[in-house]
Amino acid sequence: MPTPLEETTAPISVERAGIWDAESIADVAAATFPLACPPDSTSADVAAFIEATLTAERFSEYLTDPTRIVLKASVDGEIVGYLMAIDAPPEDPEIAEMITARPAIEISKFYVLPGRHGTGVSKALMAAIVELGRSAGHAGLWLGVNQQNARARRFYAKEGFDVVGERTFTVGSQIHDDHVMQRTL
């Protein structure tokens, strides 16, 4: 039986994003990335990361990269979340050793607008990448998540991800600690 929140929420549509979505996805990225950063992240470092990585121009590049999968979640035609995955082996040899379910797809970015948390958007995006991975014959998914991001860590654990190691992740001039998590398909 649906919860009261689900009864008032329009259906969620998940599909591959197109180049025409670059600006909208960049807007969602700029609004959501700061929420995933540790509390001691400076606004200057967060802004530097967004400017270097999450602009419409960068998303235009990602959307034309054959190794990238960009999924958008929409409600009533508005993009409310996105997932970007990389369908290639990890470049870092230490991470490659941690990932035992191969071939694997990396979930590089996974963000939902705060007003849409708890409405099924994250689950819909995860279900879509799981289905894509399975249909392409992949054995697993992997990702890095900030060790201080309890909400995301709980979600990934509920979705079957286990911690398999650690890595660092640079945001501006700061280096943060991530858990590397893996899920078999």
Side-chain angles (χ1 to χ4, degrees):
M1 173 165 227
T3 67
L5 182 59
E6 291 171 330
E7 290 175 345
T8 61
T9 302
I12 300 161
S13 167
V14 175
E15 60 190 349
R16 281 190 184 247
I19 193 80
W20 51 88
D21 295 312
E23 191 169 326
S24 295
I25 293 173
D27 290 344
V28 171
T32 56
F33 178 74
L35 304 173
C37 295
D40 63 345
S41 299
T42 68
S43 57
D45 283 328
V46 172
F49 184 88
I50 290 170
E51 183 60 32
T53 313
L54 302 175
T55 62
E57 293 77 21
R58 289 305 307 268
F59 276 101
S60 293
E61 293 170 18
Y62 302 145
L63 288 161
T64 57
D65 180 340
T67 66
R68 303 225 180 210
I69 301 163
V70 181
L71 301 175
K72 64 180 179 180
S74 303
V75 175
D76 289 332
E78 174 192 358
I79 297 175
V80 297
Y82 76 98
L83 180 152
M84 181 165 62
I86 302 171
D87 188 358
E91 292 181 8
D92 182 328
E94 289 181 20
I95 292 175
E97 278 187 36
M98 294 175 206
I99 307 307
T100 56
R102 290 186 234 167
I105 296 174
E106 175 189 4
I107 298 175
S108 171
K109 314 229 177 316
F110 191 142
Y111 296 104
V112 173
L113 290 172
R116 299 297 180 159
H117 290 173
T119 64
V121 174
S122 296
K123 286 189 163 295
L125 283 165
M126 184 63 73
I129 195 63
V130 165
E131 179 57 34
L132 276 169
R134 284 184 177 145
S135 66
H138 288 75
L141 302 171
W142 74 274
L143 55 86
V145 60
N146 187 276
Q147 292 179 6
Q148 295 183 47
N149 190 339
R151 172 184 224 131
R153 288 189 352 260
R154 277 192 308 273
F155 172 75
Y156 295 133
K158 285 180 186 175
E159 290 293 321
F161 285 82
D162 295 307
V163 175
V164 294
E166 296 181 355
R167 73 171 185 189
T168 58
F169 188 80
T170 304
V171 176
S173 64
Q174 294 181 307
I175 297 175
H176 299 286
D177 295 317
D178 281 2
H179 287 302
V180 174
M181 301 181 80
Q182 171 182 256
R183 172 188 172 162
T184 57
L185 297 179

